[in-house]
Amino acid sequence: MKAITRLLITSGLMITATAASAHPGHDAGTGFASGLLHPMLGLDHLLAMAAIGFWSVHQSATMKNSTPLFVIGGMIIGAAIAWGGMSLPGVETGIALSVLLTGILIATMAKLPTVVGGTLVAAFMVFHGFAHGTEMPAGAALVAYLAGFSIATLALTFLGRGLGVLMQRTDSRFGRVLGGVVAVTGALLAAA
């Protein structure tokens, strides 16, 4: 099976997952395992992080190399807001919009200056980090949970980056279509 065919099949399967499964995995134990599973099992988190990695491939070298730092930085800030007992309005909308807007960035092949792109990525991830922070299981070890979702987040971001590199070797229309599919999924998540 050709790599592009596998990529399209995998993308299709990811897109057909139901929105109701957006935040499972909280009974996976406490600490590290729960933190690791949360971003891997939620369609919204999975798509946003992979899409950001995919998009970063088409950016300047500085933005591309800094994307993992912006992703983790935003996640940690968001989780810290939740763990500090503060509120963050519109979390689910922010998460859905992160999927929608990243899909649009991919579909349009938009190149952003590092300051703008980095701020946007970090802002997206604050919402995701807040969701992770508020959904930490009772009794979970904070550092272990943080390590788990940080590793999962980076893995998804680098998976998306790998897909982006693979797509660079093919016709750019595939990347644009994939971006459109991600954007539509984000719109559906926002409407749900």
Side-chain angles (χ1 to χ4, degrees), residues 15 19 43-44 47 92-93 95-104 179-192:
I15 299 306
L43 177 64
D44 48 3
L47 284 177
E92 291 301 321
T93 301
I95 289 170
L97 287 176
S98 73
V99 176
L100 170 67
L101 294 175
T102 306
I104 291 170
V181 170
V182 170
V184 168
T185 303
L188 291 172
L189 289 170

Side-chain angles (χ1 to χ4, degrees), residues 27-110:
D27 58 352
T30 58
F32 183 78
S34 186
L36 190 67
L37 287 175
H38 186 264
M40 296 288 196
L41 298 176
L43 177 64
D44 48 3
H45 300 305
L46 182 77
L47 284 177
M49 293 164 202
I52 286 169
F54 186 98
W55 171 77
S56 73
V57 169
H58 304 286
Q59 302 307 300
S60 69
T62 303
M63 181 63 204
K64 179 181 172 183
N65 294 331
S66 300
T67 295
L69 297 174
F70 293 130
V71 168
I72 289 299
M75 291 285 290
I76 291 171
I77 290 169
I81 291 169
W83 293 331
M86 294 179 273
S87 65
L88 183 64
V91 172
E92 291 301 321
T93 301
I95 289 170
L97 287 176
S98 73
V99 176
L100 170 67
L101 294 175
T102 306
I104 291 170
L105 290 172
I106 293 168
T108 61
M109 300 290 201

Side-chain angles (χ1 to χ4, degrees), residues 140-153:
L142 188 135
V143 173
Y145 184 75
L146 175 66
F149 79 67
S150 296
I151 289 169
T153 296

